[in-house]
Amino acid sequence: MQKSGSSSSLGPGGLDLTQAFFRQIQRAAPPSPTKRHTKISVVGAGNVGMAIAQTILTQDVADELVLIDAKADKLRGEMLDLQHAAAFLPRTKIHASVDYELTFGSDLCIVTAGARQVPGESRLNLLQRNVALFKTIIPPLARYSPETILLIVSNPVDVLTYVAWKLSGFPSNRVIGSGTNLDSSRFRFLIADHLDVNAQDVQAYIVGEHGDSSVALWSSISVGGVPVLSFLEKQQIAYEKVTLEKIHKEVIDSAYEVISLKGYTSWAIGYSVANLARSILRDQRKVHPVSVVANGFYGIEGGDVFLSLPAQLGRGGVLGVTNVHLTDEEAHRLRDSAKTILEVQNQLGI
């Protein structure tokens, strides 16, 4: 497909005007070969993919952004719309194509493409259609960018991250699911709202499945460095477990509420994934609850299963999993969450 890119060939007959417009200073050395050029490819130009792309652009995460989608006209329209905002954004080259060859040499490939559930369709049938779609997406990404990191956003994200890992043949540290990074942000917001504090001062994680079997780690919540539950107990301040469960249920239901009101979610996942991209590509070594291979952690057994655990992210992808203390109940719920995902995985035959 035709793409619009920056060009200095504006003179007669396509004459390159760069040399005429800019003159080199004397005794200049060529650019350093160690200079880093960061390239991100986003597969899927729907509401989620474009929210991610837009946030990546505004936050100056990449030098080059590639959009891939099967709908050529919509794709070109989205690309041009973003390019026309160049005067208001950090300088980023933006390209788009239906051809995966354009993703060549990507540092990070973000996959948001996925089939939508039709009325009366089972979740398993939907998942199988998404697996078939991933068979057309993941192999070319791996072929054109063999050193890339895959960041899967498509739902059900945990199972599809496993599928992407199997299809790519990549080491497990270079295949990551967006997991409960957004769920945890919703969790932090609700706790901050209850306590009337800034959500950035709240440390709290949702782990496990990005879905109904997720686990809220109440035992490790802190505000401004103060562990919340132990503080309440020491101060003999009563709290009811049902209140905690209600907040967790709000986290689970919040995505459904947004979808019922506006038809889809986009902005929050856009910020969430751009945040993950920044941590990875800037080697920030921040801890995020993302979907990783969880077998062997917290007593999880039975096979290779991807679910969200607090993981340190950097330029190598997943650098390690944080050894968070879990209560016996939290660990039990996490293992149940893993079993839920494994049951679905085992039906795929991959």
Side-chain angles (χ1 to χ4, degrees):
M1 116 178 233
Q2 182 184 1
K3 61 183 177 66
S4 174
S6 59
S7 174
S8 57
S9 301
L10 300 176
L15 178 66
D16 190 341
L17 296 181
T18 304
Q19 297 302 319
F21 202 77
F22 296 102
R23 295 179 61 187
Q24 281 197 340
I25 62 173
Q26 295 181 11
R27 295 181 292 278
S32 168
T34 60
K35 184 178 179 181
R36 186 81 199 171
H37 177 87
T38 304
K39 181 175 180 178
I40 297 177
S41 291
V42 177
V43 180
N47 295 315
V48 171
M50 293 314 301
I52 292 170
Q54 187 265 350
T55 312
I56 284 171
L57 288 173
T58 57
Q59 295 190 357
D60 197 16
V61 178
D63 301 297
E64 185 175 359
L65 178 66
V66 173
L67 304 175
I68 299 290
D69 198 276
K71 299 178 180 178
D73 288 344
K74 182 183 187 301
L75 185 59
R76 179 165 173 79
E78 295 285 11
M79 177 192 69
L80 290 173
D81 208 6
L82 290 176
Q83 287 178 335
H84 297 166
F88 316 114
L89 294 169
R91 185 174 186 266
T92 304
K93 291 184 178 180
I94 306 168
H95 304 293
S97 180
V98 297
D99 188 345
Y100 284 82
E101 187 176 1
L102 198 64
T103 65
F104 178 84
S106 294
D107 298 283
L108 179 67
C109 291
I110 302 171
V111 181
T112 72
R116 290 190 177 184
Q117 194 166 12
V118 298
E121 182 180 33
S122 69
R123 290 185 68 184
L124 179 59
N125 189 64
L126 173 65
L127 177 57
Q128 288 171 333
R129 288 202 291 128
N130 275 321
V131 169
L133 180 63
F134 265 46
K135 288 179 179 178
T136 69
I137 292 173
I138 303 302
L141 290 178
R143 182 168 67 253
Y144 289 117
S145 302
E147 301 301 320
T148 195
I149 293 169
L150 291 173
L151 178 53
I152 309 303
V153 183
S154 312
N155 279 317
V157 68
D158 301 299
V159 177
L160 288 179
T161 303
Y162 167 80
V163 170
W165 176 54
K166 298 296 283 187
L167 292 174
S168 67
F170 283 2
S172 59
N173 62 298
R174 289 202 284 120
V175 184
I176 306 166
S178 57
T180 58
N181 195 55
L182 176 53
D183 305 65
S184 297
S185 175
R186 291 169 174 148
F187 193 35
R188 292 167 66 187
F189 160 72
L190 290 170
I191 294 168
D193 196 44
H194 274 73
L195 299 177
D196 195 22
V197 297
N198 191 312
Q200 293 186 358
D201 290 327
V202 178
Q203 188 83 3
Y205 293 121
I206 298 287
V207 297
E209 179 197 14
H210 172 58
D212 295 345
S213 72
S214 66
V215 182
L217 299 187
W218 288 103
S219 64
S220 62
I221 293 174
S222 65
V223 176
V226 179
V228 172
L229 295 192
S230 61
F231 172 80
L232 294 177
E233 290 169 359
K234 287 179 181 178
Q235 297 297 319
Q236 297 183 337
I237 299 173
Y239 66 90
E240 294 183 357
K241 191 174 180 180
V242 65
T243 303
L244 306 184
E245 293 296 340
K246 183 180 178 182
I247 294 175
H248 181 208
K249 190 175 187 306
E250 282 186 69
V251 173
I252 295 172
D253 293 343
S254 57
Y256 300 125
E257 182 182 9
V258 173
I259 291 169
S260 69
L261 292 170
K262 61 176 272 190
Y264 55 89
T265 62
S266 57
W267 299 119
I269 189 63
Y271 279 103
S272 173
V273 175
N275 185 241
L276 295 175
R278 176 181 288 275
S279 290
I280 292 167
L281 297 179
R282 298 284 172 83
D283 199 30
Q284 292 191 338
R285 297 174 176 263
K286 290 177 65 177
V287 175
H288 296 269
V290 289
S291 195
V292 299
V293 174
N295 194 32
F297 292 103
Y298 305 107
I300 295 172
E301 299 173 346
D304 293 317
V305 60
F306 278 75
L307 54 74
S308 287
L309 298 172
Q312 186 185 47
L313 302 183
R315 200 61 188 77
V318 178
L319 306 180
V321 173
T322 307
N323 190 18
V324 178
H325 171 73
L326 305 185
T327 64
D328 291 342
E329 182 183 0
E330 289 167 347
H332 178 72
R333 288 189 176 190
L334 184 61
R335 289 191 290 271
D336 284 347
S337 187
K339 289 176 184 176
T340 299
I341 299 169
L342 275 169
E343 287 173 4
V344 177
Q345 273 184 204
N346 292 336
Q347 298 178 66
L348 297 178
I350 295 179

